[in-house]
Amino acid sequence: MATNMETGKYGEDLVADLLKKAGWTIIVRNWRCSDGELDLVAHDDGAVVAVEVKTRRGTNFGTPVEAVTRAKAARLRRLLMRWIRENDVHAREVRVDVVGVFIGSTGQPVIQHIRNAC
C-alpha cells in the first residue's frame, strides 16, 4: 500500500508527463513559499498556469477535484501571482488548473483536468 506522499508524487509525475506530451513546458515543480505550495507551474501556449494535482485511491472523501475548494483555488491564484512577481514573468494569460487523478481498484488512473478553476 502506497503512502499518501507516494500516491501524490505518482499523480504529479503522471500529470507532468501528460502535460509535456500535450506540448506544455513545465517551469517548476513543488514551488514553496511561506504561504503555501504550487505543485506545477507550466507554460501552455503563452499562458502561465499553476496546476494543482490531487490524487486519490478512494472516494471516501469525495473525488480528487472536489478536494479543491473555492478558498483553496483562490489561495492557489494568490500563490501563482506571487511566483510571477518573484520571477519577473510576463504572460498574456494567467490561470489555475486543477487535475484530479483517481486510481481505482484496477490501478488504471482516471484523469479529470479542469481549466480555469478560479
Side-chain angles (χ1 to χ4, degrees):
M1 176 75 86
T3 67
N4 287 345
M5 285 187 71
E6 292 168 334
T7 299
K9 181 169 180 350
Y10 168 79
E12 286 180 15
D13 290 345
L14 178 67
V15 170
D17 288 344
L18 289 172
L19 294 176
K20 286 180 201 173
K21 288 177 184 171
W24 294 36
T25 302
I26 305 299
I27 303 167
V28 67
R29 291 183 65 168
N30 304 115
W31 178 80
R32 290 177 177 86
C33 69
S34 59
D35 295 325
E37 176 186 4
L38 295 174
D39 293 336
L40 303 170
V41 178
H43 278 148
D44 172 29
D45 193 30
V48 174
V49 185
V51 181
E52 176 71 6
V53 180
K54 288 294 183 188
T55 307
R56 299 284 187 269
R57 291 191 174 276
T59 57
N60 291 344
F61 300 104
T63 67
V65 296
E66 289 174 334
V68 181
T69 63
R70 283 185 185 263
K72 169 85 175 183
R75 187 167 61 82
L76 292 169
R77 185 150 185 94
R78 287 191 305 274
L79 286 169
L80 178 58
M81 298 311 291
R82 179 174 174 173
W83 181 87
I84 286 170
R85 280 191 312 276
E86 289 182 8
N87 291 279
D88 195 28
V89 171
H90 303 279
R92 63 183 168 96
E93 181 187 357
V94 174
R95 70 174 198 259
V96 175
D97 290 6
V98 175
V99 179
V101 179
F102 176 72
I103 306 164
S105 59
T106 66
Q108 188 67 23
V110 176
I111 297 168
Q112 180 182 9
H113 185 161
I114 299 175
R115 294 175 181 256
N116 280 323
C118 68

